[in-house]
Amino acid sequence: MVLTLTPNGLYCPSGDFHIDPWRPVARALITHGHTDHARGGHGAYLATDIAGPVMRHRLGAITLDTIRYGEMRRIGGANVSFHPAGHVPGSAQIRVEVAGEVWVVSGDYKLEHDPLSTPFEPVRCHHFVTECTFGLPVFDWPDPEDVAREINGWWAANAAEGRFSLLGAYALGKAQRVLAILDPGIAPILTHGAIEATNAVLRAQGFSLPETQHVTQATDLRAMRGALVMAPPGALAGPWARRFRPASSALASGWMRLRGVRRRRAADRGFVISDHADWAGLNRAIAATGAGTVHVTHGYTEVFARWLASQGYDARVLRTEFTGESLEEEEA
Amino acid sequence: MKDFAALYAALDQSTRTTVKLAALESYFRSAPDADRLWCAALFSGRRPRRAITTTRLRDWAAERAGLPLWLFEDSYAVVGDLAETIALVLPAPATRHDQGLAGWMACLRGLSGADEATRKAQILAAWDGMAPLERLVFNKLLTGGFRVGVSRRLMTRALAAATERDEVEIAHRLMGDWTPETTTWAALIDTHDPADSLSRPYPFCLAYGLEGVPEALGAPGDWLAEWKWDGIRGQVIARGGQIFIWSRGEELITDRFPELARLRDLLPEGTVIDGEILAHDGAAPLPFAALQKRITRKSVPKSLLREAPATLMAYDLLEEAGRDLRGLPFTERRARLDALVSALPEGTPLRPSPAIPFATWDALAATRATARDHRAEGLMLKCRSGRYHAGRKKGFWWKWKLDPLTLDAVMIYAQAGHGRRANLYTDFTFAVRDGAAFVPFTRAYSGLTDAEFRQITAWVRRNTVERFGPVRQVRPEQVFEIAFEGIQASPRHKSGVALRFPRMARWRQDKPATEIDTLDTLRALLAHHG
């Protein structure tokens, strides 16, 4: 086996390394910087050069080696390379080849283009490890340009009536992707500390983001009415958000495709925008790998594996501790 | 349909009354007559019957989407709403229909007579020309599940604003047994005098719950107290030599109460009485369970007429000799009601709800405590000088209910909700203790906050012992205080009791399951209150 599942995570015996392990290991190859994939405590890390700064920012002083997309490394008996996953800036699918057998661990991925992430590239393989956060046919993402128009339209209408627009989005990836499609001509853009910190890291790397202002005690909110306020979803319900009055609230998430979820979250609006592949995207990505065996990780695993089996794949459920795009506090 | 779907989305997206009101008003101003008539009908509870079985709809939707049925079903389990699941899985529309709400309603109506092949062809053609949002609304209408968070009152306000009419008049016009197939916009809203229609009831006057002490209401002498009866609120109309009995839900229930239909020969022409229909043995009201047997029956067997004879406990006189009395003070209407009833022959199944004399609020509180002995839920307090309002109006009618009965019970089964509550465990079965065993005695699904439902859902997922289809048996650990209004012996229930309005009053996270109430306590409650 090129890769096997151990209590620590996905392990490559030939190269003696783990991919996105959830317990401390000696050597970890990391697909991207979200907390359920990049955890602290490993002896040595390998990630893409683009993902590196955010990982350092989040994990502190780690022993981190970086690699460029497409660059080949020999680790023990394995040939390893990283390929764009399109999920967030710097996110990668990790290709591992041992004695001619190729496995690809996709981490989290999406096929849609966004203004910041390097677009997903299919990688031919024998075994493909895929997430299926949105692995049901009800998940079908709308055209991102339509969503951008919806968000800016909502913001402009709020601004015209002197309301704040409170928008919940994950601090790494989603927030910046949404920032990049906002129309800064409408009003100022304010940010929660968690998002501003990630913005600073990405700006320092050369990513172009619109001007944002970090909200502090000193910020004069009376002068800011009509502003868009971007915060992690968890902060919207808490005391931090109460200072913005009057306000309309919204969440940006793939889950907003479901009316029940949207209503339960008690946000005024839900924008369907996800950093994960939708149903058609998952199926397209899997087909493009040419893989005969598909290992299904986090999401609707049983249902999705059954579907893949009915389509002729050797489909297996792989029990990992990844969480995917959750609506709760932690991000993915 | 696009406009109506957009209205639905606007209402669905906002929790603010002003926003909903503006969206409805704008629709009522701009939509064609046939469409806005249907809109008024739908938002006043005049929903069409289900035109097609949901089994067929699932089959057709799965087939059109190119999905195996099991995958469709698994998706439905996650979405929690059939109309929405269908809307989401279907492929993007090839064309766009340009038909209004009324056109689609006519199409739905046509389906009921058609053969299955025709139905299928029409439904698929409809789906193919709609965006997901329109499909959702269409499917809701198709499955008879059309509901949206807009009260009838709010719709009435919007309609009154859009037509620049008085809200009370519009509320009256919307009453009765019309449907868009039996009337027109002009007839309903513009032209006829609402009183022209013989059967049309008046909007019911409703009470707010009294929170806090009655002392806040001022002098006891300004108020009239009555028992709050636990029956079916109804309006009896004698006009044109006919009798019409309406429930508060505006259902015509004349045929279900033949003993009350006799009032046709007894009440003077042009009489409208507001009251409570009760099962009554001549001396005292019978428990609600006796009346319940009659609610669902369209025709009533003789044995049931003997077992649970109905009486109208009259509250108010709304029309006398064809004259609308609603503007008069309550004492004046009440005096006329008493005079009218006293002129009726012995044995008429109609009696005025007795006024309860009281001198002080303390004395009345003591009387209220005996409500269950009178088979009442508590007291009603009515302002003596008040007119008969349409709907709820603060300050005139108050209900002062008894505190509910309560028991501490443990949750043993949980089931997920639908719609807004999809993916959340919200429907629970509760048990009391009998030695080492747990005996289920009621279900409840309301009373917790959304946050509490999320918390208990996470707990249910981790503590499932066994699954029976959608039902999960859970570890008997979570204790809830169950509140209810009444208790009755019931051979249909395993525990031998049936509760009235059970709900979760509190989640007792402080209490272990070993300390919950016992079957003996439940039986003692039944003996005392049943």
Side-chain angles (χ1 to χ4, degrees), chain B residues 279-457:
Chain B
H280 200 286
D281 66 5
L286 299 169
F288 184 78
L291 188 66
Q292 201 161 32
K293 291 183 194 155
R294 299 193 48 169
I295 294 177
T296 48
R297 288 175 178 268
K298 294 254 176 197
S299 67
V300 198
K302 283 216 170 74
S303 59
L304 200 53
L305 279 176
R306 272 195 306 276
E307 208 181 298
T311 285
L312 184 73
M313 198 66 100
Y315 292 137
D316 215 317
L317 185 63
L318 311 186
E319 187 175 306
E320 186 184 46
R323 193 164 80 87
D324 181 353
L325 301 187
R326 292 177 300 159
L328 296 180
F330 178 48
T331 33
E332 176 65 26
R333 300 196 309 273
R334 178 72 205 213
R336 293 180 187 222
L337 174 71
D338 289 342
L340 183 142
V341 175
S342 65
L344 294 173
E346 189 85 1
T348 303
L350 172 72
R351 61 184 73 212
S353 179
I356 299 169
F358 68 104
T360 66
W361 292 118
D362 280 349
L364 190 63
T367 308
R368 166 176 170 264
T370 67
R372 280 203 181 87
D373 303 336
H374 293 84
R375 293 252 155 73
E377 297 180 293
L379 294 173
M380 289 294 304
L381 296 170
K382 296 177 181 173
C383 175
R384 287 180 183 272
S385 60
R387 60 163 289 151
Y388 189 90
H389 290 279
R392 273 194 184 81
K393 183 111 181 155
K394 271 228 157 87
F396 295 91
W397 283 23
W398 297 98
K399 48 187 173 191
W400 191 22
K401 288 171 71 159
L402 281 180
D403 294 333
L405 301 169
T406 63
L407 276 175
D408 288 334
V410 70
M411 181 209 291
I412 55 171
Y413 299 110
Q415 195 173 347
H418 276 87
R420 202 176 93 82
R421 299 165 132 208
N423 284 332
L424 278 187
Y425 284 90
T426 57
D427 298 8
F428 308 133
T429 301
F430 294 97
V432 286
R433 219 156 36 79
D434 183 23
F438 290 108
V439 183
F441 71 104
T442 192
R443 292 177 62 186
Y445 45 85
S446 64
L448 299 188
T449 63
D450 281 1
E452 285 173 318
F453 276 128
R454 279 202 292 274
Q455 200 184 340
I456 195 77
T457 294

Side-chain angles (χ1 to χ4, degrees), chain B residues 152 156-157 159-161 163-175 178 185-195 200-203 324 326 387-391:
Chain B
R152 179 175 178 153
T156 308
R157 264 170 71 192
L159 182 53
T163 54
E164 287 156 28
R165 305 289 267 278
D166 178 47
E167 190 183 328
V168 173
E169 187 208 322
I170 291 291
H172 193 187
R173 286 177 176 275
L174 292 178
M175 299 291 286
W178 63 273
W185 176 265
L188 187 74
I189 304 298
D190 287 338
T191 48
H192 298 286
D193 182 338
R200 183 168 291 166
Y202 292 104
D324 181 353
R326 292 177 300 159
R387 60 163 289 151
Y388 189 90
H389 290 279

Side-chain angles (χ1 to χ4, degrees), chain A residues 136-138 140 163 247-248 257-264 267-269 279 300 303 306-307 310 328, chain B residues 8 12-13 15-16 67-68 70-71 74-75 78-79 81 84 88-89 136 419-424 454:
Chain A
L136 289 177
V138 293
D140 173 21
R163 277 196 301 270
S248 173
R257 172 85 170 156
L258 302 186
R259 181 169 161 264
V261 178
R262 205 164 62 228
R263 291 171 61 92
R264 209 155 60 230
D268 296 316
R269 293 290 295 271
W279 172 257
Y300 296 103
V303 178
R306 185 175 170 194
W307 161 256
S310 78
E328 304 310 321
Chain B
Y8 182 89
D12 195 46
Q13 273 166 9
T15 47
R16 280 198 290 269
L67 300 174
W70 68 263
L71 183 53
D74 281 354
S75 301
V78 168
V79 176
D81 182 312
E84 184 183 355
L88 294 179
V89 300
L136 170 70
R420 202 176 93 82
R421 299 165 132 208
N423 284 332
L424 278 187
R454 279 202 292 274

Side-chain angles (χ1 to χ4, degrees), chain B residues 27 48 72 76 86 133 135 145 184 187 230 269 344 440-441 447 450 469:
Chain B
Y27 185 84
F72 179 87
Y76 172 33
I86 295 173
L133 176 65
R135 282 179 192 152
T184 61
D230 185 16
E269 169 63 19
L344 294 173
F441 71 104
D450 281 1

Side-chain angles (χ1 to χ4, degrees), chain B residues 15-29:
Chain B
T15 47
R16 280 198 290 269
T17 307
T18 48
V19 174
K20 293 184 179 189
L21 198 59
L24 276 164
E25 187 184 330
S26 150
Y27 185 84
F28 279 131
R29 279 187 191 277

